[in-house]
Amino acid sequence: MNRVLDFTTPMLPTNKPRYLMGVGSPDSLIDGVMRGVDMFDCVLPTRIARNGTCMTSRGRLAVKNAKFARDFRPLDEKCDCYTCRHYSRAYIRHLFKADETFGLRLTSYHNLYFLLNLMRQIRQAIMDDSLLDFKQDFFEEYGYNLPNAKNF
Ligand SMILES: [Zn+2]
């Protein structure tokens, strides 16, 4: 994807918005923005949420795992979304195990909030001229290994 973006984006007009379809993982969103993409859409955040997988500041969290049965922390301790402010990993895990659809609504809400907040942080980093530092810091916490990220 990045090689294709490197090839195609210089050919696109600079005064028009650039749209990349089907990209929704945090690493791909950041890589796309760094190559000049303005807009994205993707089913990923809600699709994985319906299976109990949550995007967090420390990487993906599979809330159905047994280790969360008595974990009363929010999905992401750094998130201030409705789900994270009101419900624990243990409760959300219970909802999934009981086939209560409220659980997948809570995880979907969280994942969408997470990505909207990520894009908000990316916009701020662009305005602060600190996108490379933001990328490095985000990926270190999220769990990506980017030895040359500063040399993008
Ligand atoms: Zn949240």
Side-chain angles (χ1 to χ4, degrees):
M1 180 191 83
N2 289 340
R3 283 189 318 194
V4 171
L5 286 174
D6 286 339
F7 180 76
T8 57
T9 51
M11 293 185 250
L12 297 173
T14 57
N15 63 339
K16 305 266 184 184
R18 297 165 179 196
Y19 167 64
L20 183 59
M21 180 185 278
V23 169
S25 64
D27 58 325
S28 295
L29 291 171
I30 293 172
D31 284 338
V33 167
M34 296 190 86
R35 287 165 173 82
V37 177
D38 300 297
M39 295 180 290
F40 306 85
D41 81 272
C42 189
V43 299
L44 183 73
T46 50
R47 176 175 287 163
I48 67 174
R50 290 193 300 273
N51 292 316
T53 300
C54 304
M55 298 173 178
T56 78
S57 57
R58 300 175 60 98
R60 288 190 184 186
L61 181 150
V63 76
K64 291 193 290 188
N65 286 351
K67 67 180 178 182
F68 299 122
R70 297 192 183 285
D71 189 333
F72 298 102
R73 293 175 294 167
L75 294 173
D76 185 345
E77 292 178 288
K78 289 188 171 180
C79 182
D80 61 352
C81 82
Y82 178 83
T83 299
C84 290
R85 283 185 288 117
H86 293 92
Y87 301 99
S88 68
R89 297 172 183 178
Y91 180 66
I92 295 169
R93 180 181 182 276
H94 158 74
L95 293 174
F96 272 91
K97 292 299 177 184
D99 287 328
E100 288 284 351
T101 58
F102 187 48
L104 57 93
R105 291 179 189 200
L106 290 174
T107 53
S108 293
Y109 183 90
H110 165 79
N111 279 356
L112 291 171
Y113 187 97
F114 178 84
L115 288 184
L116 289 171
N117 192 47
L118 172 64
M119 298 309 288
R120 191 175 305 117
Q121 291 174 298
I122 290 171
R123 286 192 296 275
Q124 187 62 51
I126 291 169
M127 289 187 283
D128 296 342
D129 196 23
S130 63
L131 187 55
L132 291 175
D133 290 332
F134 174 80
K135 178 182 178 178
Q136 179 80 22
D137 294 345
F138 177 84
F139 282 8
E140 281 177 12
E141 187 170 8
Y142 198 77
Y144 289 111
N145 183 18
L146 293 176
N148 298 317
K150 294 274 188 186
N151 300 323
F152 176 81

